[in-house]
Amino acid sequence: MNHIKNSILAFICLLSAAMFVSCTHQKREFSSYDQYPTRTDDLVEMVYTPQSTSFALWAPTADEVRLMLFDEGTGGHPYETVPMKQNTQDGTWRITIDKNLVGKFYTFNVKINDKWQGDTPGINARAVGVNGKRAAIIDMKATNPAGWDNDKGPAVKSPADIVLYEVHHRDFSIDSTSGIKNKGKYLAMTEKGTRNPDNLPTGIDHLKDLGVTHVHILPSYDYASIDESKLEENKYNWGYDPQNYNVPEGSYSTNPADPAVRINEFKQMVQALHNEGIGVVLDVVYNHTFNTEDSNFERTVPGYFYRHKADGTLANGSGCGNETASDREMMRKYMIESVLYWMNEYHIDGFRFDLMGIHDIETMNAIQEAAKAVNPNVFIYGEGWAAEAPIYPADSLAMKANAYKMPGIAVFSDELRDGLRGPFNNDKQAAFLAGVPGEEESVKFGIVGAINHPQINYASVNYTDTAWAAEPTQMISYISCHDDMCVVDRLKETVPGITPDQIARLDKLGQTVVFTSQGVPFIYAGEEVLRDKKGVHNSYISPDSINAIDWSRKTQNKDAYDYYKNLIALRKAHPAFRMGNAEMVRQYLEFLPVEGDNLVAYMLKDNANGDSWKDIIVAFNGRNTAAQLQVPAGKYTVVCRDGQINQSGLGTVYGPEVTIPAQSALIIHN
Ligand code: CA
């Protein structure tokens, strides 16, 4: 097909020779990015078959494009440099090489106004050599593990049924107590039967035992900050520095120099999790690139993929030096195709959009629609904010306040998070959990899932004065994630003289709010064993001594672990906690009147959402003394009290007054 196109193009070039100096110098002046000719076919840059390999780079402003072929993924010189042929209709430069190029590497170099932009693997490399500087030509089918064609993620009836577990490959497995062989690797999540020194499950067995439904892996596309050729240096990074969006990161593979290995091992990880019924969510960072001037975007179509301020300088909504322009046609297309590629090639079940507030609403809705068409179980959520104000109309950005304009897409609730533990920007400031009054409405806001509810005073909710979610499943319910203190550290920082017993009590109380919320619950890996990060708030480059999860804590904090496990099981067993529908929440969730501060209580009534329990009363006491609560008269079975959970009952209490022990949650039902 490309052959034919190129022949036609060559013929047209001959005809046009009288008007143009030469075919490769056809130059159109564009007065705006919108005038750039666009690709209608997929933005695929390389298609391999054993007979021939076709290349196509979208570079509408180029005067000349060269394809360079290499024997190696790094070092040396190209063994061949091939001029590519321009197609002015769609802005691409194409060439087909009639040889079997498997095992070779390639880069493009784009010349604009007599300046070569520099080598780039393109914007859409799908396999790369070490450190992602050259794209690789491999047989993708050969990277599939056995049984891959039958691999499938979990079915999701409602996003309210999802339990998210945010994990970094290295944190999860690097410590000696993990008992995992492939430490810091994708393969860590494929090992069954791993145990901590006291023979308690770690790794994938731990995830299964805990009961999470989806693992949300921190950025695992190819990022720039770890030198993949020097893994012995044991450098750490979260990975929010994108380089190649459509290739797995090499440092988590057992051999970054072999392009097929990272792809195969990533797929093995997905398959192993799927085999346990656990979905995989990818953290995607399309909002900025690590490099700007030397990024693959900039070396291919300078300016086009980024937003700029009125003075021509780069906008910086990411706080990392640039912000991408999702609103531009080819960037939007790129993001949609990238998401679909991860779904189709790697069987990814969900996406967490970093700084989603930089992207525009139209793009996010288009992504959601395209992704749902591939897999109706897909779940998309993101950070509904930006680091700085993006250069784009605020009412068109995928910000938290606009969540209701993005049906089915969820955003993190900092209202609930900070209402419980205190604000992001001040680690020392406490909130509900530490007995600080005034956060009750923020906690209530999180309980209902950020929807409109007649019993919430929105004027008293932090950060927002309206219900931004149309449905409760649009809210991610959480108390900590990677880029903050973990709960233990936060409690130590905000509650002077706190004892280990109080830490455990308040940790359980906070997570009980999260897991009984009508939003979608989310925990940061290791919270369930009361991990800490030695007080570090931003641990993005901290060493293993800070970030690694010490799995001996699972033994030391077995009581807390059991609580987390029982809490997740309670949510899964009782549909009243996950109604997934705003109308139903308004009808069946009723807040109960309370006396004084730091006490929030509500009732899930009348077998809400088909629950087997008629009325469920949930109460949260942030005080350091016991609290009394008025409830309808009658007999209740206690299922959660004073830091213990047992679905089959911890005893009986009678209304109209029940006691909630200090710093704990109470759940009773009749
Ligand atoms: Ca990398």
Side-chain angles (χ1 to χ4, degrees), residues 352 383-385 400 412-427 429-433 439 442-447 461-463 468 475-485 487 490 510-511 513-514 517 522 527 537:
R352 176 265 190 199
E383 292 184 306
W385 47 71
K400 188 179 65 176
F412 288 91
S413 170
D414 49 347
E415 294 89 355
L416 177 65
R417 183 194 69 194
D418 294 2
L420 288 168
R421 62 111 216 241
F424 178 83
N425 58 11
N426 184 355
D427 289 332
Q429 194 177 323
F432 183 87
L433 292 180
E439 304 290 346
S442 299
V443 173
K444 288 166 66 180
F445 180 88
I447 288 168
V461 176
N462 54 18
Y463 311 138
W468 41 255
M475 190 196 94
I476 302 294
S477 170
Y478 75 127
I479 185 172
S480 68
C481 68
H482 68 277
D483 65 353
D484 268 325
M485 280 185 170
V487 181
R490 183 77 187 207
Q511 298 286 16
V513 181
V514 167
S517 157
F522 168 109
E527 293 288 13
H537 173 106

Short mmCIF file of all heavy atoms in Angstrom, two decimals, residues 352 383-385 400 412-427 429-433 439 442-447 461-463 468 475-485 487 490 510-511 513-514 517 522 527 537:
data_model
loop_
_atom_site.label_atom_id
_atom_site.label_comp_id
_atom_site.label_asym_id
_atom_site.label_seq_id
_atom_site.Cartn_x
_atom_site.Cartn_y
_atom_site.Cartn_z
N ARG A 352 -4.97 6.08 35.11
CA ARG A 352 -4.98 7.17 36.07
C ARG A 352 -4.22 8.31 35.40
O ARG A 352 -3.04 8.18 35.09
CB ARG A 352 -4.29 6.73 37.37
CG ARG A 352 -4.14 7.79 38.44
CD ARG A 352 -2.78 8.46 38.35
NE ARG A 352 -2.51 9.32 39.52
CZ ARG A 352 -1.59 10.27 39.52
NH1 ARG A 352 -0.85 10.52 38.45
NH2 ARG A 352 -1.38 10.99 40.59
N GLU A 383 -6.15 13.12 38.34
CA GLU A 383 -6.00 14.26 39.24
C GLU A 383 -6.71 15.45 38.61
O GLU A 383 -6.29 15.92 37.55
CB GLU A 383 -4.53 14.61 39.42
CG GLU A 383 -3.72 13.57 40.16
CD GLU A 383 -2.28 14.04 40.37
OE1 GLU A 383 -1.62 14.41 39.40
OE2 GLU A 383 -1.82 14.03 41.53
N GLY A 384 -7.76 15.92 39.25
CA GLY A 384 -8.53 17.02 38.68
C GLY A 384 -7.94 18.38 39.00
O GLY A 384 -8.66 19.28 39.43
N TRP A 385 -6.65 18.49 38.80
CA TRP A 385 -5.98 19.76 39.05
C TRP A 385 -4.71 19.85 38.21
O TRP A 385 -4.35 18.91 37.49
CB TRP A 385 -5.66 19.93 40.55
CG TRP A 385 -5.02 18.74 41.22
CD1 TRP A 385 -3.74 18.29 41.05
CD2 TRP A 385 -5.62 17.85 42.18
NE1 TRP A 385 -3.50 17.18 41.83
CE2 TRP A 385 -4.63 16.89 42.54
CE3 TRP A 385 -6.87 17.77 42.77
CZ2 TRP A 385 -4.88 15.86 43.46
CZ3 TRP A 385 -7.10 16.73 43.68
CH2 TRP A 385 -6.13 15.80 44.02
N LYS A 400 -11.30 19.09 38.49
CA LYS A 400 -12.26 18.51 39.43
C LYS A 400 -13.61 19.20 39.37
O LYS A 400 -14.66 18.53 39.32
CB LYS A 400 -11.66 18.61 40.84
CG LYS A 400 -12.41 17.92 41.93
CD LYS A 400 -11.69 18.09 43.26
CE LYS A 400 -11.68 19.56 43.69
NZ LYS A 400 -11.07 19.76 45.02
N PHE A 412 -9.77 12.46 42.03
CA PHE A 412 -9.41 12.31 43.44
C PHE A 412 -10.08 13.42 44.26
O PHE A 412 -10.12 14.57 43.85
CB PHE A 412 -7.89 12.41 43.61
CG PHE A 412 -7.15 11.21 43.10
CD1 PHE A 412 -6.69 11.17 41.79
CD2 PHE A 412 -6.90 10.13 43.92
CE1 PHE A 412 -6.00 10.06 41.31
CE2 PHE A 412 -6.21 9.02 43.45
CZ PHE A 412 -5.76 8.98 42.14
N SER A 413 -10.56 13.04 45.45
CA SER A 413 -11.17 14.03 46.34
C SER A 413 -10.16 14.46 47.40
O SER A 413 -9.88 13.74 48.35
CB SER A 413 -12.40 13.44 47.04
OG SER A 413 -12.82 14.33 48.06
N ASP A 414 -9.62 15.67 47.21
CA ASP A 414 -8.75 16.21 48.25
C ASP A 414 -9.59 16.76 49.41
O ASP A 414 -9.08 16.98 50.50
CB ASP A 414 -7.80 17.28 47.70
CG ASP A 414 -8.49 18.33 46.84
OD1 ASP A 414 -9.66 18.13 46.46
OD2 ASP A 414 -7.85 19.36 46.55
N GLU A 415 -10.90 16.95 49.16
CA GLU A 415 -11.77 17.40 50.25
C GLU A 415 -11.77 16.35 51.37
O GLU A 415 -11.55 16.67 52.54
CB GLU A 415 -13.21 17.60 49.74
CG GLU A 415 -13.38 18.71 48.73
CD GLU A 415 -13.18 18.26 47.29
OE1 GLU A 415 -12.80 17.09 47.07
OE2 GLU A 415 -13.38 19.09 46.38
N LEU A 416 -12.03 15.10 50.99
CA LEU A 416 -12.06 14.04 51.99
C LEU A 416 -10.66 13.79 52.57
O LEU A 416 -10.48 13.72 53.78
CB LEU A 416 -12.60 12.74 51.38
CG LEU A 416 -12.60 11.54 52.35
CD1 LEU A 416 -13.54 11.78 53.52
CD2 LEU A 416 -12.97 10.25 51.63
N ARG A 417 -9.69 13.66 51.66
CA ARG A 417 -8.32 13.37 52.10
C ARG A 417 -7.86 14.37 53.15
O ARG A 417 -7.42 14.01 54.23
CB ARG A 417 -7.39 13.43 50.87
CG ARG A 417 -5.95 13.08 51.13
CD ARG A 417 -5.07 13.51 49.94
NE ARG A 417 -4.98 14.97 49.85
CZ ARG A 417 -4.53 15.63 48.79
NH1 ARG A 417 -4.16 14.97 47.70
NH2 ARG A 417 -4.48 16.95 48.80
N ASP A 418 -7.97 15.65 52.81
CA ASP A 418 -7.44 16.67 53.71
C ASP A 418 -8.37 16.93 54.89
O ASP A 418 -7.92 17.36 55.96
CB ASP A 418 -7.16 17.96 52.93
CG ASP A 418 -6.03 17.75 51.93
OD1 ASP A 418 -5.53 16.61 51.83
OD2 ASP A 418 -5.67 18.72 51.24
N GLY A 419 -9.67 16.67 54.70
CA GLY A 419 -10.60 16.77 55.81
C GLY A 419 -10.26 15.76 56.90
O GLY A 419 -10.47 16.00 58.09
N LEU A 420 -9.70 14.64 56.49
CA LEU A 420 -9.32 13.61 57.46
C LEU A 420 -7.94 13.87 58.06
O LEU A 420 -7.75 13.83 59.27
CB LEU A 420 -9.32 12.23 56.80
CG LEU A 420 -10.69 11.62 56.47
CD1 LEU A 420 -10.54 10.40 55.57
CD2 LEU A 420 -11.45 11.25 57.74
N ARG A 421 -6.97 14.14 57.20
CA ARG A 421 -5.59 14.14 57.71
C ARG A 421 -4.89 15.51 57.66
O ARG A 421 -3.78 15.65 58.18
CB ARG A 421 -4.77 13.08 56.98
CG ARG A 421 -4.66 13.34 55.46
CD ARG A 421 -3.26 13.72 55.08
NE ARG A 421 -3.27 14.70 54.03
CZ ARG A 421 -2.74 14.52 52.82
NH1 ARG A 421 -2.19 13.39 52.49
NH2 ARG A 421 -2.75 15.52 51.95
N GLY A 422 -5.50 16.52 57.01
CA GLY A 422 -4.88 17.83 56.91
C GLY A 422 -4.36 18.10 55.52
O GLY A 422 -4.25 17.19 54.71
N PRO A 423 -4.03 19.37 55.24
CA PRO A 423 -3.74 19.80 53.86
C PRO A 423 -2.41 19.31 53.29
O PRO A 423 -1.45 19.09 54.03
CB PRO A 423 -3.74 21.33 53.96
CG PRO A 423 -3.44 21.62 55.38
CD PRO A 423 -4.00 20.49 56.18
N PHE A 424 -2.39 19.19 51.97
CA PHE A 424 -1.20 18.76 51.22
C PHE A 424 -0.02 19.69 51.47
O PHE A 424 1.11 19.25 51.61
CB PHE A 424 -1.55 18.74 49.72
CG PHE A 424 -0.40 18.38 48.83
CD1 PHE A 424 -0.08 17.05 48.60
CD2 PHE A 424 0.36 19.36 48.20
CE1 PHE A 424 0.98 16.70 47.77
CE2 PHE A 424 1.43 19.02 47.37
CZ PHE A 424 1.73 17.68 47.16
N ASN A 425 -0.32 20.98 51.52
CA ASN A 425 0.78 21.97 51.58
C ASN A 425 1.26 22.28 52.99
O ASN A 425 2.08 23.18 53.19
CB ASN A 425 0.37 23.25 50.85
CG ASN A 425 -0.90 23.86 51.44
OD1 ASN A 425 -1.36 23.46 52.51
ND2 ASN A 425 -1.47 24.83 50.74
N ASN A 426 0.73 21.58 53.98
CA ASN A 426 1.22 21.79 55.34
C ASN A 426 1.14 20.48 56.12
O ASN A 426 0.11 20.12 56.68
CB ASN A 426 0.41 22.88 56.06
CG ASN A 426 0.97 23.19 57.44
OD1 ASN A 426 1.90 22.52 57.91
ND2 ASN A 426 0.39 24.19 58.09
N ASP A 427 2.28 19.79 56.13
CA ASP A 427 2.32 18.46 56.75
C ASP A 427 2.04 18.49 58.25
O ASP A 427 1.75 17.46 58.85
CB ASP A 427 3.70 17.83 56.54
CG ASP A 427 3.92 17.42 55.10
OD1 ASP A 427 2.92 17.13 54.42
OD2 ASP A 427 5.09 17.39 54.67
N GLN A 429 -0.24 20.41 59.77
CA GLN A 429 -1.61 20.78 60.13
C GLN A 429 -2.51 19.54 60.17
O GLN A 429 -2.58 18.77 59.22
CB GLN A 429 -2.16 21.80 59.14
CG GLN A 429 -3.43 22.47 59.64
CD GLN A 429 -3.91 23.53 58.66
OE1 GLN A 429 -3.09 24.24 58.06
NE2 GLN A 429 -5.21 23.64 58.48
N ALA A 430 -3.19 19.38 61.29
CA ALA A 430 -4.04 18.20 61.49
C ALA A 430 -5.48 18.50 61.07
O ALA A 430 -5.83 19.62 60.73
CB ALA A 430 -3.99 17.78 62.95
N ALA A 431 -6.33 17.46 61.12
CA ALA A 431 -7.74 17.61 60.78
C ALA A 431 -8.59 16.64 61.61
O ALA A 431 -8.25 16.37 62.76
CB ALA A 431 -7.93 17.42 59.28
N PHE A 432 -9.65 16.13 61.01
CA PHE A 432 -10.65 15.33 61.73
C PHE A 432 -10.03 14.23 62.59
O PHE A 432 -10.40 14.04 63.75
CB PHE A 432 -11.64 14.72 60.72
CG PHE A 432 -12.76 13.94 61.34
CD1 PHE A 432 -13.93 14.57 61.75
CD2 PHE A 432 -12.66 12.56 61.52
CE1 PHE A 432 -14.98 13.85 62.33
CE2 PHE A 432 -13.70 11.83 62.10
CZ PHE A 432 -14.85 12.47 62.50
N LEU A 433 -9.09 13.48 62.00
CA LEU A 433 -8.52 12.34 62.72
C LEU A 433 -7.80 12.75 64.00
O LEU A 433 -7.72 11.99 64.96
CB LEU A 433 -7.53 11.58 61.83
CG LEU A 433 -8.12 10.84 60.63
CD1 LEU A 433 -7.02 10.14 59.86
CD2 LEU A 433 -9.18 9.83 61.08
N GLU A 439 -13.97 20.00 60.16
CA GLU A 439 -13.80 19.25 58.91
C GLU A 439 -14.94 18.27 58.68
O GLU A 439 -14.91 17.47 57.74
CB GLU A 439 -12.47 18.48 58.93
CG GLU A 439 -11.24 19.34 59.16
CD GLU A 439 -10.92 20.26 57.98
OE1 GLU A 439 -11.48 20.05 56.89
OE2 GLU A 439 -10.12 21.20 58.17
N SER A 442 -16.55 18.23 55.24
CA SER A 442 -15.66 17.67 54.21
C SER A 442 -15.69 16.14 54.26
O SER A 442 -15.66 15.46 53.23
CB SER A 442 -14.23 18.16 54.41
OG SER A 442 -14.19 19.56 54.31
N VAL A 443 -15.74 15.61 55.47
CA VAL A 443 -15.82 14.16 55.64
C VAL A 443 -17.15 13.65 55.07
O VAL A 443 -17.20 12.66 54.33
CB VAL A 443 -15.65 13.76 57.12
CG1 VAL A 443 -15.90 12.27 57.33
CG2 VAL A 443 -14.25 14.14 57.61
N LYS A 444 -18.23 14.38 55.38
CA LYS A 444 -19.55 13.99 54.85
C LYS A 444 -19.57 14.03 53.32
O LYS A 444 -20.15 13.17 52.65
CB LYS A 444 -20.65 14.90 55.43
CG LYS A 444 -20.93 14.62 56.92
CD LYS A 444 -21.77 15.71 57.57
CE LYS A 444 -23.17 15.82 57.02
NZ LYS A 444 -23.94 16.91 57.70
N PHE A 445 -18.93 15.07 52.78
CA PHE A 445 -18.82 15.23 51.33
C PHE A 445 -18.17 13.98 50.72
O PHE A 445 -18.60 13.48 49.68
CB PHE A 445 -17.97 16.49 51.05
CG PHE A 445 -17.74 16.81 49.60
CD1 PHE A 445 -18.64 17.61 48.90
CD2 PHE A 445 -16.61 16.36 48.93
CE1 PHE A 445 -18.41 17.93 47.57
CE2 PHE A 445 -16.38 16.67 47.60
CZ PHE A 445 -17.28 17.47 46.92
N GLY A 446 -17.12 13.49 51.38
CA GLY A 446 -16.45 12.28 50.90
C GLY A 446 -17.28 11.03 51.09
O GLY A 446 -17.22 10.10 50.28
N ILE A 447 -18.07 10.99 52.13
CA ILE A 447 -18.91 9.81 52.40
C ILE A 447 -19.94 9.61 51.28
O ILE A 447 -20.16 8.49 50.83
CB ILE A 447 -19.61 9.95 53.77
CG1 ILE A 447 -18.58 9.76 54.90
CG2 ILE A 447 -20.77 8.95 53.91
CD1 ILE A 447 -19.09 10.15 56.27
N VAL A 461 -17.47 22.85 53.26
CA VAL A 461 -16.56 21.83 52.71
C VAL A 461 -15.29 22.54 52.25
O VAL A 461 -15.37 23.61 51.66
CB VAL A 461 -17.23 21.08 51.54
CG1 VAL A 461 -16.27 20.09 50.89
CG2 VAL A 461 -18.51 20.37 52.00
N ASN A 462 -14.13 21.94 52.53
CA ASN A 462 -12.89 22.59 52.09
C ASN A 462 -12.72 22.50 50.57
O ASN A 462 -13.18 21.57 49.93
CB ASN A 462 -11.66 22.00 52.80
CG ASN A 462 -11.57 20.48 52.65
OD1 ASN A 462 -12.19 19.91 51.78
ND2 ASN A 462 -10.78 19.83 53.50
N TYR A 463 -12.09 23.46 49.98
CA TYR A 463 -11.71 23.54 48.56
C TYR A 463 -12.86 23.67 47.56
O TYR A 463 -12.62 23.98 46.39
CB TYR A 463 -10.86 22.34 48.12
CG TYR A 463 -9.70 22.01 49.02
CD1 TYR A 463 -9.41 20.69 49.35
CD2 TYR A 463 -8.89 23.01 49.56
CE1 TYR A 463 -8.34 20.38 50.17
CE2 TYR A 463 -7.83 22.70 50.39
CZ TYR A 463 -7.56 21.39 50.70
OH TYR A 463 -6.51 21.07 51.51
N TRP A 468 -19.25 18.38 42.93
CA TRP A 468 -18.72 18.36 41.55
C TRP A 468 -18.99 17.04 40.82
O TRP A 468 -18.80 16.94 39.62
CB TRP A 468 -17.25 18.74 41.49
CG TRP A 468 -16.35 18.20 42.57
CD1 TRP A 468 -15.83 18.90 43.62
CD2 TRP A 468 -15.81 16.86 42.68
NE1 TRP A 468 -15.03 18.09 44.39
CE2 TRP A 468 -15.00 16.84 43.84
CE3 TRP A 468 -15.94 15.70 41.93
CZ2 TRP A 468 -14.32 15.68 44.26
CZ3 TRP A 468 -15.27 14.55 42.35
CH2 TRP A 468 -14.48 14.55 43.49
N MET A 475 -15.84 9.89 42.19
CA MET A 475 -14.94 10.35 43.25
C MET A 475 -14.01 9.23 43.71
O MET A 475 -14.47 8.14 44.06
CB MET A 475 -15.72 10.86 44.46
CG MET A 475 -14.83 11.56 45.46
SD MET A 475 -15.60 11.77 47.10
CE MET A 475 -14.97 10.30 47.92
N ILE A 476 -12.72 9.48 43.69
CA ILE A 476 -11.76 8.55 44.29
C ILE A 476 -11.63 8.93 45.76
O ILE A 476 -11.32 10.07 46.11
CB ILE A 476 -10.38 8.62 43.60
CG1 ILE A 476 -10.49 8.32 42.10
CG2 ILE A 476 -9.40 7.66 44.29
CD1 ILE A 476 -10.92 6.91 41.75
N SER A 477 -11.89 7.94 46.61
CA SER A 477 -11.89 8.13 48.05
C SER A 477 -10.55 7.64 48.60
O SER A 477 -10.19 6.48 48.40
CB SER A 477 -13.05 7.28 48.60
OG SER A 477 -13.00 7.21 49.98
N TYR A 478 -9.80 8.52 49.24
CA TYR A 478 -8.47 8.12 49.72
C TYR A 478 -7.98 9.05 50.81
O TYR A 478 -8.49 10.16 50.99
CB TYR A 478 -7.48 8.08 48.56
CG TYR A 478 -6.98 9.42 48.04
CD1 TYR A 478 -5.62 9.68 47.92
CD2 TYR A 478 -7.86 10.44 47.64
CE1 TYR A 478 -5.13 10.89 47.44
CE2 TYR A 478 -7.39 11.65 47.15
CZ TYR A 478 -6.03 11.87 47.05
OH TYR A 478 -5.56 13.06 46.57
N ILE A 479 -6.97 8.57 51.50
CA ILE A 479 -6.38 9.37 52.58
C ILE A 479 -4.89 9.59 52.34
O ILE A 479 -4.29 10.51 52.90
CB ILE A 479 -6.67 8.70 53.95
CG1 ILE A 479 -6.19 9.55 55.11
CG2 ILE A 479 -6.13 7.31 54.04
CD1 ILE A 479 -6.63 9.03 56.45
N SER A 480 -4.29 8.77 51.49
CA SER A 480 -2.87 8.96 51.16
C SER A 480 -2.59 8.35 49.80
O SER A 480 -3.33 7.48 49.34
CB SER A 480 -1.98 8.29 52.20
OG SER A 480 -2.11 6.87 52.11
N CYS A 481 -1.52 8.83 49.16
CA CYS A 481 -1.03 8.22 47.93
C CYS A 481 0.47 8.44 47.88
O CYS A 481 1.06 8.91 48.85
CB CYS A 481 -1.74 8.80 46.70
SG CYS A 481 -1.33 10.51 46.37
N HIS A 482 1.09 8.11 46.73
CA HIS A 482 2.56 8.16 46.67
C HIS A 482 3.14 9.52 47.01
O HIS A 482 4.20 9.61 47.59
CB HIS A 482 3.03 7.72 45.28
CG HIS A 482 2.65 8.71 44.21
ND1 HIS A 482 1.41 8.71 43.62
CD2 HIS A 482 3.32 9.75 43.69
CE1 HIS A 482 1.35 9.69 42.76
NE2 HIS A 482 2.48 10.35 42.77
N ASP A 483 2.44 10.59 46.61
CA ASP A 483 3.11 11.88 46.70
C ASP A 483 2.70 12.70 47.93
O ASP A 483 2.45 13.88 47.85
CB ASP A 483 2.96 12.70 45.41
CG ASP A 483 1.54 13.10 45.10
OD1 ASP A 483 0.61 12.65 45.79
OD2 ASP A 483 1.34 13.85 44.16
N ASP A 484 2.67 12.05 49.02
CA ASP A 484 2.40 12.68 50.30
C ASP A 484 3.05 11.83 51.36
O ASP A 484 3.55 10.76 51.07
CB ASP A 484 0.89 12.65 50.59
CG ASP A 484 0.19 13.89 50.11
OD1 ASP A 484 0.80 14.95 50.17
OD2 ASP A 484 -0.96 13.76 49.68
N MET A 485 2.95 12.31 52.57
CA MET A 485 3.31 11.42 53.67
C MET A 485 2.33 10.25 53.69
O MET A 485 1.16 10.42 53.36
CB MET A 485 3.16 12.16 55.00
CG MET A 485 4.33 13.06 55.31
SD MET A 485 4.08 13.75 56.95
CE MET A 485 5.67 14.51 57.20
N VAL A 487 0.11 7.56 55.94
CA VAL A 487 -0.76 7.92 57.06
C VAL A 487 0.01 7.90 58.39
O VAL A 487 -0.14 8.81 59.22
CB VAL A 487 -1.99 6.99 57.12
CG1 VAL A 487 -2.90 7.39 58.27
CG2 VAL A 487 -2.76 7.05 55.81
N ARG A 490 2.09 10.96 58.73
CA ARG A 490 1.25 12.15 58.89
C ARG A 490 0.70 12.24 60.32
O ARG A 490 0.65 13.31 60.91
CB ARG A 490 0.09 12.07 57.89
CG ARG A 490 -0.82 13.27 57.90
CD ARG A 490 -0.17 14.43 57.17
NE ARG A 490 -0.96 15.65 57.30
CZ ARG A 490 -0.95 16.63 56.41
NH1 ARG A 490 -0.20 16.57 55.35
NH2 ARG A 490 -1.69 17.72 56.59
N GLY A 510 -9.46 6.39 59.78
CA GLY A 510 -9.38 7.09 58.49
C GLY A 510 -9.75 6.18 57.33
O GLY A 510 -10.54 6.54 56.46
N GLN A 511 -9.18 4.98 57.33
CA GLN A 511 -9.46 4.07 56.21
C GLN A 511 -10.90 3.54 56.25
O GLN A 511 -11.45 3.17 55.21
CB GLN A 511 -8.46 2.90 56.21
CG GLN A 511 -7.01 3.32 56.04
CD GLN A 511 -6.63 3.77 54.62
OE1 GLN A 511 -7.48 4.05 53.79
NE2 GLN A 511 -5.33 3.85 54.38
N VAL A 513 -13.45 5.38 56.92
CA VAL A 513 -14.19 6.41 56.17
C VAL A 513 -14.02 6.14 54.67
O VAL A 513 -14.99 6.14 53.90
CB VAL A 513 -13.70 7.83 56.52
CG1 VAL A 513 -14.51 8.86 55.72
CG2 VAL A 513 -13.81 8.11 58.01
N VAL A 514 -12.77 5.90 54.27
CA VAL A 514 -12.47 5.68 52.85
C VAL A 514 -13.26 4.49 52.30
O VAL A 514 -13.88 4.57 51.24
CB VAL A 514 -10.95 5.45 52.66
CG1 VAL A 514 -10.64 4.90 51.26
CG2 VAL A 514 -10.17 6.74 52.92
N SER A 517 -17.07 4.87 52.09
CA SER A 517 -17.51 5.98 51.24
C SER A 517 -18.19 5.44 49.98
O SER A 517 -17.85 4.36 49.50
CB SER A 517 -16.30 6.82 50.84
OG SER A 517 -16.56 7.53 49.65
N PHE A 522 -9.37 3.77 47.44
CA PHE A 522 -7.99 3.73 46.91
C PHE A 522 -7.05 3.69 48.10
O PHE A 522 -7.18 4.50 49.02
CB PHE A 522 -7.81 5.01 46.10
CG PHE A 522 -6.40 5.37 45.68
CD1 PHE A 522 -6.02 5.26 44.34
CD2 PHE A 522 -5.47 5.87 46.58
CE1 PHE A 522 -4.75 5.63 43.93
CE2 PHE A 522 -4.20 6.23 46.17
CZ PHE A 522 -3.83 6.11 44.84
N GLU A 527 0.18 0.75 53.19
CA GLU A 527 -0.63 1.32 54.28
C GLU A 527 -1.24 0.19 55.12
O GLU A 527 -1.38 0.32 56.33
CB GLU A 527 -1.74 2.21 53.74
CG GLU A 527 -1.29 3.50 53.05
CD GLU A 527 -0.74 4.55 54.02
OE1 GLU A 527 -0.48 4.23 55.20
OE2 GLU A 527 -0.56 5.71 53.59
N HIS A 537 7.85 13.51 52.72
CA HIS A 537 6.61 13.87 52.03
C HIS A 537 6.73 13.57 50.53
O HIS A 537 5.86 12.94 49.94
CB HIS A 537 6.34 15.36 52.25
CG HIS A 537 5.19 15.93 51.47
ND1 HIS A 537 3.99 16.25 52.04
CD2 HIS A 537 5.07 16.24 50.16
CE1 HIS A 537 3.18 16.74 51.11
NE2 HIS A 537 3.81 16.74 49.97
#
